[in-house]
């Protein structure tokens, strides 16, 4: 089937004549998949228990007649007005105790068992009708899970969930176990009944409570999703897959957990204000690929502009094509635009679309057409091809929640710190996986693994990292690694707890920095005068550990202490980076480590905001630059998009794309 191209379409346009016109234009643009029904509950179940699916079936038939496959959305992100009026208790409650109003979406309380029952009923109707349907290739459950409810029912469900987590030796719920793990004698928090445990609706709660609440929200969405999965799977014909669409680095729930039960991961790729940064967008693609450790879909992408950003600027001409290829080069098997046609009313009137209210193409339509022409040329070459990376960055929602709740320095944004590492590799066109900190590392061919940081650590995580390094891998640990245990409790040994022996050092002290501290990095005879900013740690090396960087004079404590260390461990190496380094020093250090680990870029020496991505045997080169640029090639290649033979150089137009195979 090649790479899929598609758009979202909503029932507000439903009448046969319009739909036929739309389908004809979709076909002419080269689309082969349409996503429908994800907010259509009010049209699917116009009144309680009365279902109207014939129009939807007709829409599916007509799509098929025009050669388009269908992705069916379950409409549960938008409960109808009759439902919220009859059952107001299904509406979410915010931190201040206010119930959500009708008229928006995702206004439901995911912990409501009544809501789950109502969802199950509509999903069952849809699944019964479209599960066996050849024309429906897959399902999307709900839309962008995000809402957290602080209702009474959520509180009770949280308390119940905790009872399964904190148990005594015989597996019985144990408040004593919870009190001990949460250190509740502190500030007299000790609980004598499960019913006393609050939801963290205010700032500055117990770190264990905060972490567990995020995990609970994840479990609540898992349960909500599982209910729909089970129903759909009961009716689905073989081959129909099920996904849900996510929002990049949004961290309202643990995506690894949610994806365990899905067949496919997908995400919605928007830029909002500004322009395409290949590395920043690339990180979200790599993240999504890592959810199931295989190719993924871009379920929504921006057709020119959005309507929700501070400035809804239109992408430059050609930019969306580069945006799509940046995803395809990183393992996207489909790119779908949101949405096809403007709704005449509703909250998203100004959003970009492919077709205007009069049903004729907007300028952006041509851009999608061009992308479909690309895909006709190379779709087969890339079909079924996956990404193999030599570098893996570990990622953990627990870590992000734990640090976010206690930044210690207001500028310690865990995601910014994470991307500070990612950029050193992806920005140099080194293929990089982003995987769960709990993912097994063997059999993936990694040479370099980075924990930026591995903040919460337990025996299982530590054992896998040690095994990786001892078998010859290079392991980098950043600041704040090995600080906490699974209860978000401080480890009783110095950081990096459980990894001190592997890292050959420990953290003597940590400092939030008012001003940058100077440091000197020495890499094989070359010295770099750099800085640590925001956060610095005084490292105490153990025997046999090399010191790669030392602090200059600053607060007295750090003066002359180790800032970066390297320690041989088994057949490999463990590096500890004790400060948030300035960009130049960070790039030099990561470049040096990558070289020692034998990691190679797909193409070296690329200009800023140009990426070379390897998918199977092909190299996808993408420019997100407004001006032309040249790059040199290490051999002879043929560009499969133009058919040109390239000897030593490739010239790219603004936002240019090439798909190279060795010639
Ligand atoms: C989200 C939603 C879509 C639409 C777009 C607009 O990603 O999933 O339904 O609202 O944003 O950018």
């Amino acid at each position: 089937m090649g790479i899929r191209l598609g758009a979202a379409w909503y029932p507000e346009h439903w009448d046969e004549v319009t739909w036929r016109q739309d389908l004809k234009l979709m076909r002419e643009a080269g689309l082969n998949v349409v996503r429908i029904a994800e907010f259509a509950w009010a049209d699917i179940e116009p009144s309680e228990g009365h279902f109207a699916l014939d129009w939807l079936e007709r829409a599916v038939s007509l799509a098929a007649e025009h050669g388009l496959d269908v992705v069916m959305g379950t409409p549960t992100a938008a409960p109808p007005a009759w439902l919220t009026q009859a059952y107001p208790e299904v509406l979410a409650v915010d931190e201040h105790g206010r119930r959500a109003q009708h008229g928006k979406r995702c206004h439901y309380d995911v912990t409501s068992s009544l809501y789950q029952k109502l969802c199950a009923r509509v999903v069952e109707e849809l699944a019964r009708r479209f599960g066996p349907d050849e024309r429906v290739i897959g399902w999307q459950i709900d839309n962008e899970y995000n809402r957290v409810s602080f209702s009474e029912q959520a509180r009770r469900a949280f308390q119940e969930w905790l009872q399964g987590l904190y148990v005594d030796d015989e597996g019985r719920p144990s408040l004593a176990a919870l009190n001990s793990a949460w250190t509740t004698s502190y500030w007299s928090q000790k609980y004598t009944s499960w019913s006393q445990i609050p939801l963290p609706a205010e700032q500055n709660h117990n770190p264990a409570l905060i972490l567990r609440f995020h995990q609970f929200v994840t479990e609540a969405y898992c349960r909500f999703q599982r209910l729909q999965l089970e129903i759909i799977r009961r009716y689905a014909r073989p081959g129909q897959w099920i996904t849900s669409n996510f929002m990049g680095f949004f961290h309202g729930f643990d995506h690894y957990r949610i994806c365990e039960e899905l067949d496919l991961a997908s995400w919605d790729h928007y830029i909002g204000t500004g322009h395409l940064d290949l590395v920043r967008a690339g990180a979200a693609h790599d993240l999504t690929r890592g959810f199931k450790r295989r190719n993924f879909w871009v379920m929504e992408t921006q057709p020119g502009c959005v309507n929700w950003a501070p400035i809804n600027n239109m992408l430059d001409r050609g930019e969306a094509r580069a945006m799509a290829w940046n995803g395809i080069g990183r393992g996207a098997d489909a790119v779908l635009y949101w949405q096809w046609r403007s709704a005449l009313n509703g909250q998203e009137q100004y959003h970009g679309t492919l077709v205007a209210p009069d049903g004729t193409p907007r300028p952006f339509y041509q851009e999608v057409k061009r992308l479909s022409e690309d895909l006709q040329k190379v779709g087969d070459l890339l079909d079924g091809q996956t990404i193999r990376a030599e570098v893996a960055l570990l990622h953990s929602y627990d870590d992000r929640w734990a640090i976010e709740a206690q930044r210690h320095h207001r500028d310690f944004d865990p995601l910014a710190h994470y991307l500070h590492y990612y950029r050193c590799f992806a920005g140099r066109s080194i293929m990089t996986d982003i995987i769960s900190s709990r993912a097994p590392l063997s059999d993936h061919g990694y040479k370099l693994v980075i924990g930026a940081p591995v903040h919460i650590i337990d025996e299982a995580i530590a054992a896998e990292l040690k095994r990786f390094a001892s078998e010859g891998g290079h392991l980098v640990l950043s600041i704040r690694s090995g600080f906490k245990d699974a209860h978000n409790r401080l480890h009783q040994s110095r950081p990096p707890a459980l990894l001190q022996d592997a890292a050959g050092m420990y953290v003597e002290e940590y400092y939030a920095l008012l001003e940058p501290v100077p440091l000197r990095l020495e890499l094989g005879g070359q010295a770099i005068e750099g800085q640590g900013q925001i956060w610095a740690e005084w490292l105490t090396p153990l025997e046999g550990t090399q010191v790669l960087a030392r602090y200059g004079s600053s607060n007295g404590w750090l003066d002359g202490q180790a800032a970066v260390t390297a320690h041989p461990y088994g057949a490999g190496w463990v590096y500890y980076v004790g400060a948030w380094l300035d960009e130049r020093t960070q790039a030099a250090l990561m470049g040096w480590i990558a070289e020692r680990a034998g990691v190679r870029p797909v193409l070296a020496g690329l200009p800023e905001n140009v990426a070379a991505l390897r998918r199977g045997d092909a190299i996808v080169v993408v420019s997100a630059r407004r001006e032309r640029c040249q790059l040199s090639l290490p051999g002879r290649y043929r560009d499969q998009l133009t058919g040109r033979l390239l000897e030593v150089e490739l010239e790219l137009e603004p936002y240019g794309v090439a798909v190279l195979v060795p010639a």
Side-chain angles (χ1 to χ4, degrees), residues 126 338 515:
L126 277 170
W338 191 94
E515 292 145 11

Side-chain angles (χ1 to χ4, degrees), residues 10 35 38-39 105 143-144 245 247 268 270 300 306-308 338 348 351:
Y10 288 151
R35 186 178 65 135
E38 85 234 335
F39 298 112
R105 57 180 170 174
N143 189 77
E144 297 186 344
N245 53 333
M247 296 185 277
D268 299 342
Y270 293 97
E300 296 181 9
V306 299
N307 72 319
W308 43 257
W338 191 94
E348 298 178 300
H351 202 285

